[in-house]
Amino acid sequence: MTKKPLVAVTGASSGIGEAVARTFSDAGHPVLMMARRIDKMESMGLPDSICLEVDVRDRDAIKAAVADAEAVYGPVDMMFVNAGVARLADIGRQPPEEWDEMIDINTKGVMNTLHSVMNGMMERKTGTIFMMSSIAGRKVYPDHTVYCGTKYFVHAVSESIREYLSDYNVRVIVLSPGVVETEVLSGVLDEQTLAEYKENKVKMGGGIGPEHVSEIMLHSYQMPQNALIQEICITPTRQKF
């Protein structure tokens, strides 16, 4: 049995989720990795890790995954509520099915993930929850309409549960990154929006690495339990919007 507590990550197969799994594993934590692409998680070969195929839209699947990992490594002390999808497009030409997908994953999936660990943390009176939002949860963009809506939802929920869970000594930290070098563009199916996003990304000299986000998350987590960094907003230096 490891001496450090279990951490859990949704959307752990790539991008910031993968970086967080690696960073916390390197720091000596056992890691529960959850995503739909189990082969990518298993290929990371992290020690003391459990890789489970989970769709965050399935509340029971997340609950079962957490229970399975806790039976091996003890209670989840950190949950990274990370899984999400970005279907960016001009709202006038975007298929409504893309709205449905973002709302189901980015909002309902967030609540399902919270539900899997929140009561346990309240009972133990300790724990840390990282909520993946975006700079698009702090300002709006013309081709991010529904995506921004889902990330504003994350901000609103985070503010509410932060106050609620403070009485139980549980920390809630919002992540609001700007442009990061991840697979997020693979979710953009609208060719015009994708081209404009790539053009703006080039102008700012590219995105920051996902490891920059995971490292500051580890630092925030390692602060004493009575010290809370409420929000992390990190962007490329040259990002102007």
Side-chain angles (χ1 to χ4, degrees), residues 54-74:
V54 172
D55 186 327
V56 294
R57 291 171 289 192
D58 188 336
R59 185 179 302 132
D60 291 337
I62 302 175
K63 183 178 178 180
V66 169
D68 288 348
E70 291 188 332
V72 178
Y73 293 112

Side-chain angles (χ1 to χ4, degrees), residues 201-218:
K201 186 176 176 182
V202 169
K203 288 179 181 178
M204 68 180 70
I208 58 175
E211 70 277 5
H212 299 138
V213 181
S214 65
E215 288 166 4
I216 197 169
M217 287 174 63
L218 179 63

Side-chain angles (χ1 to χ4, degrees), residues 34-163:
M34 296 171 283
R36 285 180 282 183
R37 296 179 293 178
I38 193 167
D39 56 326
K40 295 202 68 175
M41 295 185 292
E42 290 176 340
S43 69
M44 294 164 61
L46 299 184
D48 295 319
S49 65
I50 296 177
C51 303
L52 295 174
E53 183 177 351
V54 172
D55 186 327
V56 294
R57 291 171 289 192
D58 188 336
R59 185 179 302 132
D60 291 337
I62 302 175
K63 183 178 178 180
V66 169
D68 288 348
E70 291 188 332
V72 178
Y73 293 112
V76 170
D77 191 57
M78 186 281 274
M79 171 62 85
F80 182 23
V81 185
N82 171 60
V85 63
R87 302 294 190 206
L88 310 180
D90 181 295
I91 192 67
R93 62 175 181 265
Q94 186 172 38
E97 292 78 12
E98 293 187 2
W99 311 344
D100 295 338
E101 187 180 20
M102 284 188 285
I103 291 168
D104 286 344
I105 295 174
N106 298 359
T107 64
K108 296 178 184 177
V110 164
M111 299 309 298
N112 291 340
T113 306
L114 277 173
H115 186 258
S116 70
V117 297
M118 191 172 70
N119 288 337
M121 290 181 176
M122 290 167 62
E123 290 172 5
R124 295 187 297 274
K125 290 188 167 46
T126 190
T128 301
I129 300 170
F130 284 95
M131 301 282 283
M132 174 53 86
S133 183
S134 166
I135 198 165
R138 307 174 96 247
K139 57 176 70 177
V140 295
Y141 300 88
D143 53 5
H144 289 47
T145 304
V146 176
Y147 181 72
C148 284
T150 65
K151 292 306 181 179
Y152 269 71
F153 173 90
V154 172
H155 266 73
V157 167
S158 299
E159 290 293 333
S160 178
I161 64 168
R162 178 187 296 121
E163 291 190 15

Side-chain angles (χ1 to χ4, degrees), residues 153-174:
F153 173 90
V154 172
H155 266 73
V157 167
S158 299
E159 290 293 333
S160 178
I161 64 168
R162 178 187 296 121
E163 291 190 15
Y164 181 76
L165 294 180
S166 64
D167 288 338
Y168 298 89
N169 200 42
V170 176
R171 301 182 297 188
V172 177
I173 300 172
V174 180

